[in-house]
């Protein structure tokens, strides 16, 4: 007799087939359409300035449009062939902001024919796009940068200390000038520091989040883990304070706190950062005459008028915003040039507020917000910690700069002297901003090209990390 069939093990059903890996659509056609729109908007602005100022279309309007269009096309081709899954909004936003910046600088040049800045800005913009293309073509994987973390921080410190050897300009040692050439090394240092912070925090994320001593609701990592990165940050800020580059000091502090919060998921670091920022601002404002003057001007922007000395730069900026109203005076019809040389750099946002009005100014701020949000989105979609931190750090650089400049020229916070990304005159600034966009393009390509079935996960997502047991939220 044979054994009953009921005693035999039942066959295990085969697992269901895994769903095919999905990738995001490439959307390069959308990017090209948006680029054409961005170039047309800039050409319209350039033409509007000429019609307002002289009643005729500028003779070089076609050349301006063709040049900007060629730069956009070359950048698009580089993205199409080397980063086909990249976010289709990043490049058009950068082209539009850079083109509008050239329009505003050209408009301000008409008030100072002997001191034209638009041609130089166009050359720097071309160099920036060339570097953008070079980064997109040469850097096949953003994780390659993680190997050069300590080389990056050494180069950053060397670049920041270099201006000490050169004479100060307007009270600050942040420029290197020789012959007719000048650049600001700290602009390049901010990218290198972002690479170092991302690499170090990614490598020590668990030690920073789950080890150390708990004080009330905060858990402080051990000095062995936190010491190196705090030392690098303090050295950077000390050098910049010595050079009176307070804007970049604020940027590095904000970048450090944001990346530390993202790496650990602990909101306590935000509170500690705000407390330290308040203490540092009070100390610098009390002992540094250059900063004390700016704080006094911020507290009483119209005091110089009452004293019979005329309006200060901040007062002129506030008058420009008020004159612009809701719809603005129109491109070329404002008077923000009264602010002086700063209208082409720190206060160029006042020119936009006066001639484009609250509607145009809001559109500009929304463009910056969209650029930052897409950078954050690319970072949060990545599965490697370094790429996630790098993308968030780079996007935060733009966010902090926009907040500091917009807050300074509107009287929300004291002026610090930084360049509005892409919009203001500044060769080093526009070049480094193009490099930042190139790195975000590379990161977003990796994020959108990775399969969505969970393959290749090497670390938890930010949401998983911040909800981990004992994370101290």
């Amino acid at each position: 007799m044979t054994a009953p069939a009921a005693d035999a093990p039942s066959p295990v059903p085969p697992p269901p087939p895994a769903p095919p890996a999905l990738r995001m659509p490439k959307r390069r056609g959308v990017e090209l359409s948006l680029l054409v729109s961005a170039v047309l908007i800039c050409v319209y602005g350039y033409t509007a300035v000429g019609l307002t100022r002289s009643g005729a279309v500028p003779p070089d309007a076609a050349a301006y449009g063709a040049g900007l269009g060629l730069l956009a096309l070359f950048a698009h081709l580089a993205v199409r062939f080397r980063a086909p899954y990249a976010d289709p909004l990043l490049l058009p936003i950068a082209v539009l902001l850079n083109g509008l910046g050239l329009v505003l600088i050209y408009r301000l040049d008409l008030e100072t024919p002997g001191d034209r800045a638009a041609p130089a800005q166009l050359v720097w913009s071309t160099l920036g796009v060339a570097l953008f293309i070079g980064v997109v073509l040469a850097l096949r994987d953003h994780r390659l940068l993680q190997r050069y973390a300590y080389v990056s921080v050494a180069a950053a410190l060397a670049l920041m200390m270099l201006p000490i050897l050169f004479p100060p300009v307007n009270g600050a040692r942040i420029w290197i000038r020789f012959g007719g050439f000048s650049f600001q090394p700290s602009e390049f240092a901010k990218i290198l520091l972002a690479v170092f912070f991302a690499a170090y925090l990614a490598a020590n994320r668990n030690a920073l989040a789950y080890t150390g001593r708990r004080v009330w609701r905060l858990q402080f990592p051990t000095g062995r883990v936190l010491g190196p990165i705090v030392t690098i940050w303090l050295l950077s800020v000390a050098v910049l304070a010595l050079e009176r580059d307070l804007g970049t000091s604020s940027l590095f502090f904000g970048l450090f706190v944001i990346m530390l919060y993202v790496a650990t998921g602990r909101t306590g670091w935000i509170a500690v950062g705000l407390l330290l920022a308040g203490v540092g601002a009070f100390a610098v404002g009390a002992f540094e005459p250059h900063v004390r003057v700016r704080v006094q001007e911020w507290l009483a922007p119209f005091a110089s008028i009452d004293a019979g000395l005329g309006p200060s730069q901040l007062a002129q900026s506030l008058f420009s915003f008020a004159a612009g109203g809701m719809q603005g005076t129109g491109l070329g019809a404002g008077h923000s040039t009264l602010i002086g040389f700063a209208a082409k750099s720190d206060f160029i946002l006042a020119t936009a507020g006066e001639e484009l009005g609250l509607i145009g100014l809001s559109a500009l701020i929304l463009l910056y917000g969209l650029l930052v949000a897409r950078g954050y989105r690319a970072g949060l979609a990545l599965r490697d910690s370094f790429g996630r931190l790098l993308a968030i750090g780079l996007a935060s650089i733009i966010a902090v700069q926009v907040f500091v400049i917009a807050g300074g020229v509107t009287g929300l916070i004291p002026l610090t002297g930084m360049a509005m990304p892409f919009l203001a005159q500044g060769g080093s600034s526009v070049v480094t901003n193009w490099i930042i966009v190139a790195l975000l393009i590379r990161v977003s390509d990796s994020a959108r090209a990775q399969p969505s079935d969970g393959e290749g996960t090497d670390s938890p997502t930010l949401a998983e990390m911040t909800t981990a047991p004992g994370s101290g939220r």
Side-chain angles (χ1 to χ4, degrees):
M1 297 180 64
T2 58
D7 294 339
S10 58
V12 178
L22 298 177
R23 286 186 171 88
M24 299 291 287
K26 295 181 180 179
R27 298 192 185 282
R28 299 277 62 87
V30 174
E31 181 183 82
L32 185 59
S33 302
L34 293 174
L35 283 173
V36 172
S37 302
V39 173
L40 290 177
I41 291 173
C42 297
V43 172
Y44 171 77
Y46 194 79
T47 304
V49 171
L51 289 173
T52 302
R53 300 292 299 177
S54 61
V57 176
D60 56 349
Y64 166 75
L68 188 62
L70 283 176
L71 291 178
L73 179 61
F74 290 147
H76 166 74
L77 292 176
V79 174
R80 178 178 283 272
F81 291 111
R82 283 297 194 183
Y85 291 96
D87 191 315
L89 295 184
L90 291 172
L91 181 58
I93 293 174
V95 169
L96 181 56
L97 288 173
N98 201 163
L100 291 176
L102 288 169
V103 170
L104 291 174
I105 294 171
Y106 163 72
R107 178 264 171 276
L108 293 168
D109 278 351
L110 297 178
E111 303 290 341
T112 55
D115 183 22
R116 299 182 63 198
Q121 185 73 0
L122 182 59
V123 173
W124 282 110
S125 300
T126 304
L127 177 60
V129 174
L131 289 176
F132 168 91
I133 295 172
V135 171
V136 171
L137 294 181
L139 185 64
R140 302 297 300 270
D141 191 334
H142 64 273
R143 290 173 291 186
L144 182 65
L145 297 174
Q146 194 171 7
R147 303 177 187 174
Y148 303 101
Y150 289 96
V151 175
S152 298
V153 73
L157 291 174
L159 284 172
M160 284 187 287
M161 287 189 286
L162 203 55
I164 296 177
L165 306 176
F166 290 81
V169 178
N170 297 324
R173 294 179 181 272
I174 60 178
W175 294 93
I176 294 179
R177 293 177 184 266
F178 53 93
F181 181 76
S182 65
F183 74 101
Q184 192 173 346
S186 61
E187 289 286 343
F188 299 91
K190 64 188 180 187
I191 299 178
L192 297 171
L193 278 183
V195 172
F196 169 73
F197 286 156
Y200 187 87
L201 292 174
N204 298 276
R205 192 192 67 230
N206 290 332
L208 286 165
Y210 303 117
T211 63
R213 179 175 299 177
R214 178 175 287 274
V215 178
W216 190 48
R217 300 185 64 179
L218 295 177
Q219 186 161 355
F220 291 92
T222 61
R224 179 184 175 187
V225 176
L226 194 61
I229 193 170
V230 171
T231 302
I232 296 299
W233 169 68
L234 286 176
L235 277 175
S236 308
V237 174
V239 171
L240 294 172
L242 184 64
E243 298 170 349
R244 294 184 175 181
D245 190 359
L246 301 175
T248 308
S249 303
S250 307
L251 171 63
F252 286 174
F253 181 79
L255 176 65
F256 175 72
V257 173
I258 291 172
M259 295 184 71
L260 191 57
Y261 163 68
V262 174
T264 62
R266 297 184 180 281
T267 54
W269 285 114
I270 299 294
V272 172
L274 292 175
L275 178 63
L276 291 177
V279 172
F282 177 79
V284 174
F287 297 106
E288 173 58 48
H290 182 68
V291 178
R292 188 163 58 243
V293 169
R294 292 199 168 190
V295 171
Q296 290 172 350
E297 184 178 314
W298 169 60
L299 293 174
F302 306 113
S304 59
I305 299 177
D306 298 334
L309 301 176
S312 62
Q313 288 185 333
L314 179 56
Q316 290 277 15
S317 174
L318 296 177
F319 291 152
S320 296
F321 286 118
M326 184 64 71
Q327 299 180 355
T329 60
L331 278 170
H335 299 85
S336 58
T337 51
L338 296 174
I339 298 174
F341 71 93
K344 293 180 184 176
S345 53
D346 301 9
F347 289 93
I348 199 165
L349 205 62
T351 303
E354 181 181 15
E355 303 194 352
L356 301 178
L358 180 60
I359 295 175
L361 190 62
S362 300
L364 280 176
I365 298 299
L366 283 176
L367 283 177
Y368 284 114
L370 192 57
L371 181 61
V372 173
R374 303 303 284 201
Y376 284 163
R377 179 176 176 174
L380 293 175
L382 271 177
R383 292 165 179 164
D384 70 284
S385 301
F386 170 73
R388 182 185 311 143
L389 286 166
L390 180 63
I392 293 176
L394 294 173
S396 298
I397 288 175
I398 297 176
V400 173
Q401 283 187 254
V402 172
F403 171 76
V404 169
I405 291 296
V409 299
T410 56
L412 180 64
I413 59 176
L415 290 166
T416 54
M418 295 174 66
M420 196 73 177
F422 289 114
L423 214 62
Q425 176 192 357
S428 311
S429 174
V430 73
V431 167
T432 52
N433 286 323
W434 272 112
I435 295 175
I436 288 175
V437 174
L439 293 174
L440 290 178
I441 288 278
R442 173 52 60 201
V443 170
S444 70
D445 178 63
S446 300
R448 290 166 59 88
Q450 63 190 358
S452 60
D453 59 351
E455 293 179 357
T457 301
D458 68 352
S459 60
T461 64
L462 178 65
E464 293 167 344
M465 187 168 59
T466 54
T467 55
S471 62
R473 289 184 66 195

